[in-house]
Amino acid sequence: MLHIPLSATASQPAVSHAGRSHFGPTTAASLVANAVSALDRDPHMARHYLERLAAMFAPDTPPPQAEPVKGGLAAWQLRGVVLYIEERLGSTIGVDALAQVARLSAGHFCRAFKATTGETPHAFLILQRVRRAQTLMLRTDDTLSQIAYACGLSDQAHLTRLFRRVVGVTPLIWRRTWQTAGTGAIAATHGTGVTADEQRRRCS
């Protein structure tokens, strides 16, 4: 199942020609510290840090080649749709417009998109708007109303409703929690405190 992060991330580790990231002792120590810090309040995020730590010591093996999804979008279609969404998250995005990017009918596009990503276009858009809101809450001092508008939502109430559905808490509580924690890695991973399956169920 394909999951596509749209928002810009924090600095990423360098990648070798073999495709494996080069991490130093400082990075390993940071991952351990973050995992310990998140263990009680957010086991899902703690596991994420530990998985990243384990990946540092994995043997260098070529990644498996992804097989085309039957009935799904072609690579160029998916890239185009994702780029279109990323560049227009601050505005209204309709299924018809996404279908035009993929050069498909709206019905065909919705079926192909779900076959490729495991999510409907509507659910995918909600997740990306919430993730963009999380990034803005951590990296700016903008009010929630300003952030809602920047994410293509009508007002703060709209943001709060969708955010609570996906994340499980209000934007205000989430912002205060992670600002207090001061964990920069959260901004890079767009942690929500719930599993990906749970996020998709809440967006459905």
Side-chain angles (χ1 to χ4, degrees), residues 99-134:
Q100 288 180 3
V101 173
R103 300 179 187 175
L104 298 172
S105 68
H108 188 179
F109 168 74
C110 288
R111 291 190 295 272
F113 187 90
K114 186 167 185 179
T116 303
T117 67
E119 301 166 352
T120 66
H122 177 68
F124 185 82
L125 277 169
I126 290 176
L127 285 175
Q128 302 319 310
R129 294 192 196 280
V130 169
R131 288 168 181 166
R132 174 69 61 84
Q134 288 177 309

PDB file of all heavy atoms in Angstrom, residues 99-134:
ATOM      1  N   ALA A  99      -8.861  14.279 -11.607  1.00  0.00           N
ATOM      2  CA  ALA A  99      -9.079  13.342 -12.710  1.00  0.00           C
ATOM      3  C   ALA A  99      -8.525  13.899 -14.016  1.00  0.00           C
ATOM      4  O   ALA A  99      -7.964  13.156 -14.831  1.00  0.00           O
ATOM      5  CB  ALA A  99     -10.572  13.043 -12.841  1.00  0.00           C
ATOM      6  N   GLN A 100      -8.662  15.206 -14.219  1.00  0.00           N
ATOM      7  CA  GLN A 100      -8.131  15.822 -15.431  1.00  0.00           C
ATOM      8  C   GLN A 100      -6.614  15.720 -15.464  1.00  0.00           C
ATOM      9  O   GLN A 100      -6.030  15.493 -16.535  1.00  0.00           O
ATOM     10  CB  GLN A 100      -8.564  17.283 -15.499  1.00  0.00           C
ATOM     11  CG  GLN A 100     -10.047  17.469 -15.815  1.00  0.00           C
ATOM     12  CD  GLN A 100     -10.438  18.932 -15.873  1.00  0.00           C
ATOM     13  OE1 GLN A 100      -9.600  19.827 -15.724  1.00  0.00           O
ATOM     14  NE2 GLN A 100     -11.720  19.188 -16.088  1.00  0.00           N
ATOM     15  N   VAL A 101      -5.965  15.884 -14.308  1.00  0.00           N
ATOM     16  CA  VAL A 101      -4.513  15.751 -14.253  1.00  0.00           C
ATOM     17  C   VAL A 101      -4.093  14.345 -14.679  1.00  0.00           C
ATOM     18  O   VAL A 101      -3.103  14.165 -15.397  1.00  0.00           O
ATOM     19  CB  VAL A 101      -3.993  16.054 -12.825  1.00  0.00           C
ATOM     20  CG1 VAL A 101      -2.496  15.755 -12.720  1.00  0.00           C
ATOM     21  CG2 VAL A 101      -4.265  17.508 -12.455  1.00  0.00           C
ATOM     22  N   ALA A 102      -4.861  13.350 -14.228  1.00  0.00           N
ATOM     23  CA  ALA A 102      -4.556  11.961 -14.567  1.00  0.00           C
ATOM     24  C   ALA A 102      -5.105  11.553 -15.930  1.00  0.00           C
ATOM     25  O   ALA A 102      -4.868  10.426 -16.384  1.00  0.00           O
ATOM     26  CB  ALA A 102      -5.123  11.033 -13.490  1.00  0.00           C
ATOM     27  N   ARG A 103      -5.858  12.458 -16.564  1.00  0.00           N
ATOM     28  CA  ARG A 103      -6.460  12.209 -17.878  1.00  0.00           C
ATOM     29  C   ARG A 103      -7.407  11.006 -17.833  1.00  0.00           C
ATOM     30  O   ARG A 103      -7.380  10.124 -18.697  1.00  0.00           O
ATOM     31  CB  ARG A 103      -5.385  12.000 -18.944  1.00  0.00           C
ATOM     32  CG  ARG A 103      -4.458  13.195 -19.097  1.00  0.00           C
ATOM     33  CD  ARG A 103      -3.380  12.960 -20.128  1.00  0.00           C
ATOM     34  NE  ARG A 103      -2.406  14.027 -20.143  1.00  0.00           N
ATOM     35  CZ  ARG A 103      -1.304  14.032 -20.888  1.00  0.00           C
ATOM     36  NH1 ARG A 103      -1.055  13.011 -21.704  1.00  0.00           N
ATOM     37  NH2 ARG A 103      -0.461  15.041 -20.837  1.00  0.00           N
ATOM     38  N   LEU A 104      -8.247  10.997 -16.790  1.00  0.00           N
ATOM     39  CA  LEU A 104      -9.231   9.935 -16.623  1.00  0.00           C
ATOM     40  C   LEU A 104     -10.578  10.555 -16.304  1.00  0.00           C
ATOM     41  O   LEU A 104     -10.662  11.715 -15.897  1.00  0.00           O
ATOM     42  CB  LEU A 104      -8.826   8.997 -15.478  1.00  0.00           C
ATOM     43  CG  LEU A 104      -7.504   8.230 -15.615  1.00  0.00           C
ATOM     44  CD1 LEU A 104      -7.189   7.521 -14.309  1.00  0.00           C
ATOM     45  CD2 LEU A 104      -7.580   7.227 -16.759  1.00  0.00           C
ATOM     46  N   SER A 105     -11.629   9.764 -16.458  1.00  0.00           N
ATOM     47  CA  SER A 105     -12.927  10.224 -15.977  1.00  0.00           C
ATOM     48  C   SER A 105     -12.903  10.233 -14.454  1.00  0.00           C
ATOM     49  O   SER A 105     -12.073   9.557 -13.827  1.00  0.00           O
ATOM     50  CB  SER A 105     -14.030   9.289 -16.477  1.00  0.00           C
ATOM     51  OG  SER A 105     -13.912   8.015 -15.858  1.00  0.00           O
ATOM     52  N   ALA A 106     -13.795  11.001 -13.836  1.00  0.00           N
ATOM     53  CA  ALA A 106     -13.811  11.110 -12.379  1.00  0.00           C
ATOM     54  C   ALA A 106     -14.011   9.750 -11.720  1.00  0.00           C
ATOM     55  O   ALA A 106     -13.331   9.410 -10.741  1.00  0.00           O
ATOM     56  CB  ALA A 106     -14.900  12.085 -11.936  1.00  0.00           C
ATOM     57  N   GLY A 107     -14.946   8.954 -12.240  1.00  0.00           N
ATOM     58  CA  GLY A 107     -15.210   7.651 -11.658  1.00  0.00           C
ATOM     59  C   GLY A 107     -14.026   6.712 -11.773  1.00  0.00           C
ATOM     60  O   GLY A 107     -13.654   6.026 -10.804  1.00  0.00           O
ATOM     61  N   HIS A 108     -13.429   6.674 -12.964  1.00  0.00           N
ATOM     62  CA  HIS A 108     -12.264   5.818 -13.187  1.00  0.00           C
ATOM     63  C   HIS A 108     -11.105   6.266 -12.304  1.00  0.00           C
ATOM     64  O   HIS A 108     -10.389   5.439 -11.722  1.00  0.00           O
ATOM     65  CB  HIS A 108     -11.860   5.865 -14.667  1.00  0.00           C
ATOM     66  CG  HIS A 108     -10.796   4.875 -15.026  1.00  0.00           C
ATOM     67  ND1 HIS A 108     -10.297   4.745 -16.308  1.00  0.00           N
ATOM     68  CD2 HIS A 108     -10.120   3.975 -14.270  1.00  0.00           C
ATOM     69  CE1 HIS A 108      -9.357   3.813 -16.319  1.00  0.00           C
ATOM     70  NE2 HIS A 108      -9.229   3.327 -15.096  1.00  0.00           N
ATOM     71  N   PHE A 109     -10.916   7.572 -12.195  1.00  0.00           N
ATOM     72  CA  PHE A 109      -9.825   8.088 -11.379  1.00  0.00           C
ATOM     73  C   PHE A 109      -9.982   7.683  -9.916  1.00  0.00           C
ATOM     74  O   PHE A 109      -9.011   7.256  -9.274  1.00  0.00           O
ATOM     75  CB  PHE A 109      -9.762   9.618 -11.477  1.00  0.00           C
ATOM     76  CG  PHE A 109      -8.852  10.230 -10.450  1.00  0.00           C
ATOM     77  CD1 PHE A 109      -7.475  10.142 -10.578  1.00  0.00           C
ATOM     78  CD2 PHE A 109      -9.384  10.877  -9.339  1.00  0.00           C
ATOM     79  CE1 PHE A 109      -6.628  10.687  -9.607  1.00  0.00           C
ATOM     80  CE2 PHE A 109      -8.549  11.429  -8.382  1.00  0.00           C
ATOM     81  CZ  PHE A 109      -7.169  11.327  -8.514  1.00  0.00           C
ATOM     82  N   CYS A 110     -11.179   7.827  -9.364  1.00  0.00           N
ATOM     83  CA  CYS A 110     -11.401   7.487  -7.945  1.00  0.00           C
ATOM     84  C   CYS A 110     -11.082   6.024  -7.684  1.00  0.00           C
ATOM     85  O   CYS A 110     -10.453   5.685  -6.675  1.00  0.00           O
ATOM     86  CB  CYS A 110     -12.840   7.795  -7.543  1.00  0.00           C
ATOM     87  SG  CYS A 110     -13.198   9.561  -7.402  1.00  0.00           S
ATOM     88  N   ARG A 111     -11.495   5.145  -8.583  1.00  0.00           N
ATOM     89  CA  ARG A 111     -11.208   3.720  -8.409  1.00  0.00           C
ATOM     90  C   ARG A 111      -9.717   3.433  -8.518  1.00  0.00           C
ATOM     91  O   ARG A 111      -9.156   2.684  -7.706  1.00  0.00           O
ATOM     92  CB  ARG A 111     -11.986   2.906  -9.450  1.00  0.00           C
ATOM     93  CG  ARG A 111     -13.499   2.885  -9.240  1.00  0.00           C
ATOM     94  CD  ARG A 111     -14.169   1.881 -10.153  1.00  0.00           C
ATOM     95  NE  ARG A 111     -14.029   2.240 -11.556  1.00  0.00           N
ATOM     96  CZ  ARG A 111     -14.861   3.035 -12.216  1.00  0.00           C
ATOM     97  NH1 ARG A 111     -15.901   3.586 -11.594  1.00  0.00           N
ATOM     98  NH2 ARG A 111     -14.683   3.310 -13.496  1.00  0.00           N
ATOM     99  N   ALA A 112      -9.080   4.058  -9.499  1.00  0.00           N
ATOM    100  CA  ALA A 112      -7.643   3.820  -9.697  1.00  0.00           C
ATOM    101  C   ALA A 112      -6.825   4.408  -8.554  1.00  0.00           C
ATOM    102  O   ALA A 112      -5.832   3.814  -8.117  1.00  0.00           O
ATOM    103  CB  ALA A 112      -7.201   4.429 -11.033  1.00  0.00           C
ATOM    104  N   PHE A 113      -7.232   5.564  -8.065  1.00  0.00           N
ATOM    105  CA  PHE A 113      -6.499   6.204  -6.972  1.00  0.00           C
ATOM    106  C   PHE A 113      -6.554   5.337  -5.721  1.00  0.00           C
ATOM    107  O   PHE A 113      -5.537   5.131  -5.038  1.00  0.00           O
ATOM    108  CB  PHE A 113      -7.085   7.588  -6.686  1.00  0.00           C
ATOM    109  CG  PHE A 113      -6.281   8.385  -5.698  1.00  0.00           C
ATOM    110  CD1 PHE A 113      -5.255   9.208  -6.125  1.00  0.00           C
ATOM    111  CD2 PHE A 113      -6.552   8.317  -4.335  1.00  0.00           C
ATOM    112  CE1 PHE A 113      -4.504   9.948  -5.222  1.00  0.00           C
ATOM    113  CE2 PHE A 113      -5.812   9.046  -3.418  1.00  0.00           C
ATOM    114  CZ  PHE A 113      -4.784   9.864  -3.871  1.00  0.00           C
ATOM    115  N   LYS A 114      -7.730   4.812  -5.399  1.00  0.00           N
ATOM    116  CA  LYS A 114      -7.851   3.967  -4.204  1.00  0.00           C
ATOM    117  C   LYS A 114      -7.091   2.665  -4.373  1.00  0.00           C
ATOM    118  O   LYS A 114      -6.480   2.161  -3.418  1.00  0.00           O
ATOM    119  CB  LYS A 114      -9.315   3.685  -3.892  1.00  0.00           C
ATOM    120  CG  LYS A 114      -9.486   2.924  -2.577  1.00  0.00           C
ATOM    121  CD  LYS A 114     -10.913   2.911  -2.096  1.00  0.00           C
ATOM    122  CE  LYS A 114     -11.002   2.246  -0.720  1.00  0.00           C
ATOM    123  NZ  LYS A 114     -12.392   2.241  -0.198  1.00  0.00           N
ATOM    124  N   ALA A 115      -7.098   2.116  -5.575  1.00  0.00           N
ATOM    125  CA  ALA A 115      -6.349   0.890  -5.820  1.00  0.00           C
ATOM    126  C   ALA A 115      -4.857   1.109  -5.623  1.00  0.00           C
ATOM    127  O   ALA A 115      -4.125   0.215  -5.182  1.00  0.00           O
ATOM    128  CB  ALA A 115      -6.621   0.384  -7.236  1.00  0.00           C
ATOM    129  N   THR A 116      -4.380   2.320  -5.925  1.00  0.00           N
ATOM    130  CA  THR A 116      -2.953   2.627  -5.830  1.00  0.00           C
ATOM    131  C   THR A 116      -2.535   3.016  -4.419  1.00  0.00           C
ATOM    132  O   THR A 116      -1.500   2.579  -3.920  1.00  0.00           O
ATOM    133  CB  THR A 116      -2.588   3.779  -6.793  1.00  0.00           C
ATOM    134  OG1 THR A 116      -2.970   3.412  -8.112  1.00  0.00           O
ATOM    135  CG2 THR A 116      -1.093   4.057  -6.764  1.00  0.00           C
ATOM    136  N   THR A 117      -3.324   3.853  -3.764  1.00  0.00           N
ATOM    137  CA  THR A 117      -2.920   4.399  -2.461  1.00  0.00           C
ATOM    138  C   THR A 117      -3.621   3.760  -1.276  1.00  0.00           C
ATOM    139  O   THR A 117      -3.183   3.924  -0.138  1.00  0.00           O
ATOM    140  CB  THR A 117      -3.209   5.919  -2.401  1.00  0.00           C
ATOM    141  OG1 THR A 117      -4.636   6.127  -2.416  1.00  0.00           O
ATOM    142  CG2 THR A 117      -2.570   6.640  -3.577  1.00  0.00           C
ATOM    143  N   GLY A 118      -4.714   3.054  -1.530  1.00  0.00           N
ATOM    144  CA  GLY A 118      -5.475   2.482  -0.430  1.00  0.00           C
ATOM    145  C   GLY A 118      -6.437   3.457   0.212  1.00  0.00           C
ATOM    146  O   GLY A 118      -7.094   3.136   1.204  1.00  0.00           O
ATOM    147  N   GLU A 119      -6.542   4.664  -0.339  1.00  0.00           N
ATOM    148  CA  GLU A 119      -7.406   5.698   0.206  1.00  0.00           C
ATOM    149  C   GLU A 119      -8.218   6.345  -0.914  1.00  0.00           C
ATOM    150  O   GLU A 119      -7.770   6.402  -2.057  1.00  0.00           O
ATOM    151  CB  GLU A 119      -6.579   6.773   0.916  1.00  0.00           C
ATOM    152  CG  GLU A 119      -5.737   6.244   2.058  1.00  0.00           C
ATOM    153  CD  GLU A 119      -4.688   7.242   2.506  1.00  0.00           C
ATOM    154  OE1 GLU A 119      -4.523   8.279   1.816  1.00  0.00           O
ATOM    155  OE2 GLU A 119      -4.030   7.007   3.528  1.00  0.00           O
ATOM    156  N   THR A 120      -9.377   6.872  -0.583  1.00  0.00           N
ATOM    157  CA  THR A 120     -10.129   7.651  -1.557  1.00  0.00           C
ATOM    158  C   THR A 120      -9.445   9.000  -1.718  1.00  0.00           C
ATOM    159  O   THR A 120      -8.722   9.452  -0.816  1.00  0.00           O
ATOM    160  CB  THR A 120     -11.574   7.865  -1.093  1.00  0.00           C
ATOM    161  OG1 THR A 120     -11.556   8.692   0.090  1.00  0.00           O
ATOM    162  CG2 THR A 120     -12.265   6.550  -0.790  1.00  0.00           C
ATOM    163  N   PRO A 121      -9.660   9.685  -2.835  1.00  0.00           N
ATOM    164  CA  PRO A 121      -9.076  11.023  -2.983  1.00  0.00           C
ATOM    165  C   PRO A 121      -9.494  11.967  -1.849  1.00  0.00           C
ATOM    166  O   PRO A 121      -8.686  12.755  -1.365  1.00  0.00           O
ATOM    167  CB  PRO A 121      -9.614  11.495  -4.343  1.00  0.00           C
ATOM    168  CG  PRO A 121      -9.859  10.232  -5.102  1.00  0.00           C
ATOM    169  CD  PRO A 121     -10.339   9.243  -4.084  1.00  0.00           C
ATOM    170  N   HIS A 122     -10.755  11.876  -1.430  1.00  0.00           N
ATOM    171  CA  HIS A 122     -11.249  12.749  -0.355  1.00  0.00           C
ATOM    172  C   HIS A 122     -10.503  12.481   0.951  1.00  0.00           C
ATOM    173  O   HIS A 122     -10.051  13.419   1.620  1.00  0.00           O
ATOM    174  CB  HIS A 122     -12.745  12.529  -0.161  1.00  0.00           C
ATOM    175  CG  HIS A 122     -13.341  13.327   0.954  1.00  0.00           C
ATOM    176  ND1 HIS A 122     -13.447  14.703   0.901  1.00  0.00           N
ATOM    177  CD2 HIS A 122     -13.842  12.952   2.169  1.00  0.00           C
ATOM    178  CE1 HIS A 122     -13.993  15.144   2.028  1.00  0.00           C
ATOM    179  NE2 HIS A 122     -14.234  14.102   2.814  1.00  0.00           N
ATOM    180  N   ALA A 123     -10.356  11.210   1.318  1.00  0.00           N
ATOM    181  CA  ALA A 123      -9.650  10.866   2.557  1.00  0.00           C
ATOM    182  C   ALA A 123      -8.185  11.278   2.473  1.00  0.00           C
ATOM    183  O   ALA A 123      -7.601  11.768   3.447  1.00  0.00           O
ATOM    184  CB  ALA A 123      -9.763   9.371   2.830  1.00  0.00           C
ATOM    185  N   PHE A 124      -7.581  11.093   1.297  1.00  0.00           N
ATOM    186  CA  PHE A 124      -6.175  11.467   1.113  1.00  0.00           C
ATOM    187  C   PHE A 124      -5.993  12.974   1.297  1.00  0.00           C
ATOM    188  O   PHE A 124      -5.041  13.422   1.949  1.00  0.00           O
ATOM    189  CB  PHE A 124      -5.727  11.041  -0.281  1.00  0.00           C
ATOM    190  CG  PHE A 124      -4.267  11.271  -0.557  1.00  0.00           C
ATOM    191  CD1 PHE A 124      -3.324  10.361  -0.130  1.00  0.00           C
ATOM    192  CD2 PHE A 124      -3.849  12.399  -1.250  1.00  0.00           C
ATOM    193  CE1 PHE A 124      -1.969  10.573  -0.387  1.00  0.00           C
ATOM    194  CE2 PHE A 124      -2.513  12.616  -1.504  1.00  0.00           C
ATOM    195  CZ  PHE A 124      -1.567  11.696  -1.074  1.00  0.00           C
ATOM    196  N   LEU A 125      -6.909  13.748   0.744  1.00  0.00           N
ATOM    197  CA  LEU A 125      -6.833  15.199   0.876  1.00  0.00           C
ATOM    198  C   LEU A 125      -6.947  15.634   2.335  1.00  0.00           C
ATOM    199  O   LEU A 125      -6.222  16.529   2.788  1.00  0.00           O
ATOM    200  CB  LEU A 125      -7.932  15.862   0.044  1.00  0.00           C
ATOM    201  CG  LEU A 125      -7.631  16.068  -1.432  1.00  0.00           C
ATOM    202  CD1 LEU A 125      -8.902  16.488  -2.177  1.00  0.00           C
ATOM    203  CD2 LEU A 125      -6.533  17.096  -1.625  1.00  0.00           C
ATOM    204  N   ILE A 126      -7.867  15.011   3.062  1.00  0.00           N
ATOM    205  CA  ILE A 126      -8.023  15.356   4.483  1.00  0.00           C
ATOM    206  C   ILE A 126      -6.725  15.098   5.241  1.00  0.00           C
ATOM    207  O   ILE A 126      -6.264  15.944   6.027  1.00  0.00           O
ATOM    208  CB  ILE A 126      -9.175  14.552   5.114  1.00  0.00           C
ATOM    209  CG1 ILE A 126     -10.522  15.033   4.568  1.00  0.00           C
ATOM    210  CG2 ILE A 126      -9.156  14.673   6.643  1.00  0.00           C
ATOM    211  CD1 ILE A 126     -11.707  14.240   5.064  1.00  0.00           C
ATOM    212  N   LEU A 127      -6.120  13.944   5.009  1.00  0.00           N
ATOM    213  CA  LEU A 127      -4.870  13.612   5.691  1.00  0.00           C
ATOM    214  C   LEU A 127      -3.768  14.617   5.360  1.00  0.00           C
ATOM    215  O   LEU A 127      -3.018  15.050   6.245  1.00  0.00           O
ATOM    216  CB  LEU A 127      -4.420  12.203   5.298  1.00  0.00           C
ATOM    217  CG  LEU A 127      -5.182  11.043   5.929  1.00  0.00           C
ATOM    218  CD1 LEU A 127      -4.695   9.719   5.359  1.00  0.00           C
ATOM    219  CD2 LEU A 127      -5.026  11.047   7.444  1.00  0.00           C
ATOM    220  N   GLN A 128      -3.669  15.010   4.105  1.00  0.00           N
ATOM    221  CA  GLN A 128      -2.618  15.946   3.715  1.00  0.00           C
ATOM    222  C   GLN A 128      -2.862  17.334   4.310  1.00  0.00           C
ATOM    223  O   GLN A 128      -1.925  18.029   4.698  1.00  0.00           O
ATOM    224  CB  GLN A 128      -2.502  16.033   2.190  1.00  0.00           C
ATOM    225  CG  GLN A 128      -2.227  14.711   1.507  1.00  0.00           C
ATOM    226  CD  GLN A 128      -1.216  13.856   2.241  1.00  0.00           C
ATOM    227  OE1 GLN A 128      -0.128  14.317   2.596  1.00  0.00           O
ATOM    228  NE2 GLN A 128      -1.561  12.602   2.483  1.00  0.00           N
ATOM    229  N   ARG A 129      -4.118  17.745   4.394  1.00  0.00           N
ATOM    230  CA  ARG A 129      -4.427  19.044   5.008  1.00  0.00           C
ATOM    231  C   ARG A 129      -4.094  19.016   6.498  1.00  0.00           C
ATOM    232  O   ARG A 129      -3.548  19.991   7.042  1.00  0.00           O
ATOM    233  CB  ARG A 129      -5.898  19.391   4.788  1.00  0.00           C
ATOM    234  CG  ARG A 129      -6.273  19.645   3.336  1.00  0.00           C
ATOM    235  CD  ARG A 129      -7.656  20.251   3.228  1.00  0.00           C
ATOM    236  NE  ARG A 129      -8.223  20.168   1.887  1.00  0.00           N
ATOM    237  CZ  ARG A 129      -7.917  21.001   0.891  1.00  0.00           C
ATOM    238  NH1 ARG A 129      -7.012  21.944   1.066  1.00  0.00           N
ATOM    239  NH2 ARG A 129      -8.495  20.869  -0.296  1.00  0.00           N
ATOM    240  N   VAL A 130      -4.410  17.915   7.157  1.00  0.00           N
ATOM    241  CA  VAL A 130      -4.089  17.799   8.591  1.00  0.00           C
ATOM    242  C   VAL A 130      -2.585  17.775   8.803  1.00  0.00           C
ATOM    243  O   VAL A 130      -2.062  18.436   9.711  1.00  0.00           O
ATOM    244  CB  VAL A 130      -4.748  16.534   9.181  1.00  0.00           C
ATOM    245  CG1 VAL A 130      -4.207  16.240  10.584  1.00  0.00           C
ATOM    246  CG2 VAL A 130      -6.264  16.700   9.248  1.00  0.00           C
ATOM    247  N   ARG A 131      -1.867  17.059   7.967  1.00  0.00           N
ATOM    248  CA  ARG A 131      -0.407  17.011   8.102  1.00  0.00           C
ATOM    249  C   ARG A 131       0.224  18.369   7.831  1.00  0.00           C
ATOM    250  O   ARG A 131       1.188  18.763   8.488  1.00  0.00           O
ATOM    251  CB  ARG A 131       0.157  15.946   7.156  1.00  0.00           C
ATOM    252  CG  ARG A 131      -0.157  14.536   7.613  1.00  0.00           C
ATOM    253  CD  ARG A 131       0.150  13.519   6.550  1.00  0.00           C
ATOM    254  NE  ARG A 131      -0.178  12.162   7.006  1.00  0.00           N
ATOM    255  CZ  ARG A 131      -0.274  11.104   6.225  1.00  0.00           C
ATOM    256  NH1 ARG A 131      -0.083  11.246   4.916  1.00  0.00           N
ATOM    257  NH2 ARG A 131      -0.572   9.921   6.704  1.00  0.00           N
ATOM    258  N   ARG A 132      -0.307  19.083   6.846  1.00  0.00           N
ATOM    259  CA  ARG A 132       0.196  20.441   6.588  1.00  0.00           C
ATOM    260  C   ARG A 132      -0.084  21.335   7.791  1.00  0.00           C
ATOM    261  O   ARG A 132       0.777  22.140   8.191  1.00  0.00           O
ATOM    262  CB  ARG A 132      -0.477  21.001   5.333  1.00  0.00           C
ATOM    263  CG  ARG A 132      -0.145  22.464   5.023  1.00  0.00           C
ATOM    264  CD  ARG A 132       1.292  22.665   4.604  1.00  0.00           C
ATOM    265  NE  ARG A 132       1.624  21.928   3.387  1.00  0.00           N
ATOM    266  CZ  ARG A 132       1.381  22.371   2.152  1.00  0.00           C
ATOM    267  NH1 ARG A 132       0.775  23.534   1.959  1.00  0.00           N
ATOM    268  NH2 ARG A 132       1.730  21.650   1.096  1.00  0.00           N
ATOM    269  N   ALA A 133      -1.258  21.192   8.389  1.00  0.00           N
ATOM    270  CA  ALA A 133      -1.592  21.979   9.577  1.00  0.00           C
ATOM    271  C   ALA A 133      -0.631  21.664  10.708  1.00  0.00           C
ATOM    272  O   ALA A 133      -0.193  22.575  11.434  1.00  0.00           O
ATOM    273  CB  ALA A 133      -3.032  21.690  10.009  1.00  0.00           C
ATOM    274  N   GLN A 134      -0.277  20.394  10.894  1.00  0.00           N
ATOM    275  CA  GLN A 134       0.671  20.020  11.943  1.00  0.00           C
ATOM    276  C   GLN A 134       2.029  20.694  11.723  1.00  0.00           C
ATOM    277  O   GLN A 134       2.640  21.197  12.669  1.00  0.00           O
ATOM    278  CB  GLN A 134       0.841  18.503  11.972  1.00  0.00           C
ATOM    279  CG  GLN A 134      -0.371  17.775  12.526  1.00  0.00           C
ATOM    280  CD  GLN A 134      -0.199  16.276  12.462  1.00  0.00           C
ATOM    281  OE1 GLN A 134       0.139  15.722  11.407  1.00  0.00           O
ATOM    282  NE2 GLN A 134      -0.424  15.605  13.569  1.00  0.00           N
TER     283      GLN A 134
END
